[in-house]
Amino acid sequence: MSRSLRRGALAATAIVFSIAALSACGAGNDAQTLQVKPDNAAVTVDDVKIQNALVITQPHQGVKGPAVVSATVFNNGRTPQTIDAITLPGTTATVKLTAAAGAAGPITVPAQGSVVIGGEGNPTATIENGTEAARKGDAQKVVFKLSKTGEVGLDAFVVPASSYFKEYGPSIVPAPPGSETTAPAPAEGDHGAAEGGHGTEPSGEATTAGH
């Protein structure tokens, strides 16, 4: 084979791999379990598989508020397991587990089933001191402690609660600094009108008197 033909074959192979990679990423955006890219953190230990593990922080830089751990946990065993705790080694962060029914405590993973952590109607894992989570774009070690399998750890990507991560992010999102609006102070001439305006036609403006 001539040198030019070899170069052409290599170029064609590279294009095929590129298209395949793009197709894989596109398919992952519509995943039924958690709508994130399939190349997110995943690990399998015995009957338990954890995939799409993420630490989702506040959407705005510099805002102090809770973060969350989001993941899909599969149980291929014949008996249910519970996620008794989630920890972030190397930080002082504490993670509060809440079942889908809203009660604080372990999260049940049914036998031959799965559970999505994060999102409306699902169990949640809230990092109460969210600023202890790693910076956006980093990877944070996350350890799931299960009732039968024990500790299962993996490195989860840290992302802000925006785009398709928004619906799985923290339920409490404080306003970013400087976004609060302040009502303008009344002009000096308005004081007399406010004090002596009784008995005149209403202006249609609400007042704060009596609050």
Side-chain angles (χ1 to χ4, degrees), residues 177-204:
S179 64
E180 296 83 4
T181 57
T182 304
E188 291 184 2
D190 292 340
H191 291 291
E195 294 175 359
H198 299 289
T200 61
E201 294 183 2
S203 64

Side-chain angles (χ1 to χ4, degrees), residues 39-57:
D39 57 355
N40 281 324
V43 65
T44 300
V45 176
D46 297 333
D47 292 329
V48 171
K49 178 180 180 180
I50 301 173
Q51 72 177 28
N52 294 329
L54 298 165
V55 173
I56 306 178
T57 63

Side-chain angles (χ1 to χ4, degrees), residues 131-142:
T131 53
E132 287 294 321
R135 293 177 299 177
K136 298 175 181 62
D138 288 350
Q140 170 64 53
K141 184 74 173 181
V142 179

